[in-house]
Amino acid sequence: ADRVLCMDLHADQIQGFFNIPIDNFRALPILAEYFVNLELEDVVVVSPDHGGTTRARRLADVLNAPIAIIDKRRPRPNVAQVMNIIGEVEGKNAVIIDDIVDTGGTLVAAVNALKDKGAKSVYCCCTHPILSDPALERISGAPLEKFVTTNTMALEDRFLENDKIVQLSVAKIFGQGILNIVDDKAVSDLFMYQGHNAQ
């Protein structure tokens, strides 16, 4: 191997473990395009924790929307307790963005908190759908419009048959990335949504 292409590493520092060139692509352009096409009004982009605010800001810039942050704590692994919501969500269509969803506990706690604070509707998007049990049951039972994710991980038919789950392909970004590398062109344009001037 002489180069690594990956998407939305959980920590950017992981790139330091490789001694060959690495391109850490973002799913943001794919996820952003989905929500731009929905043409939602009164949108607020929500980060499920303080660590995800940069990701939320990038999507909010594309959607020309404000952001909100969920202040939470974890009493134990895979258990999230929402403490507060920073930002205005009442009467708005909330879009939660995260990099990974595992059991869905944090997601459902966030969805319920947003609805309790008066959000009109709640969507979620993430890059990597681990979706360990009981994630499917939690997503199905939550007051969530759509759970939008990518195909960086294969999902079983039982997930894809669920009306709330939408899986988008990352093939276009990786395919164009490989072509650009082979043709000795820059890959930086693939890191942003091309429909707007957002970074």
Side-chain angles (χ1 to χ4, degrees), residues 98-109:
D98 209 347
D99 59 343
I100 297 171
V101 173
D102 186 1
T103 63
T106 298
L107 170 64
V108 171

Side-chain angles (χ1 to χ4, degrees), residues 50-64:
H50 293 276
T53 52
T54 301
R55 187 181 304 109
R57 171 55 60 205
R58 287 185 185 125
L59 179 58
D61 286 346
V62 172
L63 299 178
N64 195 26

